[in-house]
Amino acid sequence: MRIQVNGAERELAPDSSLRDLLNSLSLPHDRVAIEVNGNVIRRAEWPLAILNEGDRVEIVHFVGGGSGS
């Protein structure tokens, strides 16, 4: 099935969950937030959130940093 991830088309196996998607992208689960079709999905729901053909997924990465003073 085809979905959009941060604006880029991506092919996934049918019945893939958000957790499956993160694993395929090698993203750390504790440093991202995910939105599917405009709805923020809570981390606890990722294993049960099954993606569908044409879904639009936005993944935001959290990064540390700041002033070194």
Side-chain angles (χ1 to χ4, degrees):
M1 96 178 133
R2 292 175 192 229
I3 63 169
Q4 294 275 331
V5 179
N6 292 355
E9 192 169 281
R10 183 157 189 93
E11 187 78 26
L12 284 180
D15 298 320
S16 291
S17 69
L18 283 178
R19 179 175 279 173
D20 296 331
L21 174 61
L22 286 181
N23 289 340
S24 74
L25 295 171
S26 299
L27 293 174
H29 295 204
D30 61 338
R31 300 183 110 180
V32 297
I34 303 177
E35 180 182 278
V36 178
N37 300 325
N39 299 306
V40 175
I41 309 299
R42 294 178 185 263
R43 184 169 290 130
E45 298 172 7
W46 293 354
L48 303 175
I50 302 301
L51 294 164
N52 297 297
E53 179 78 28
D55 278 348
R56 292 180 327 275
V57 180
E58 294 294 327
I59 301 173
V60 178
H61 305 259
F62 298 108
V63 293
S67 174
S69 32

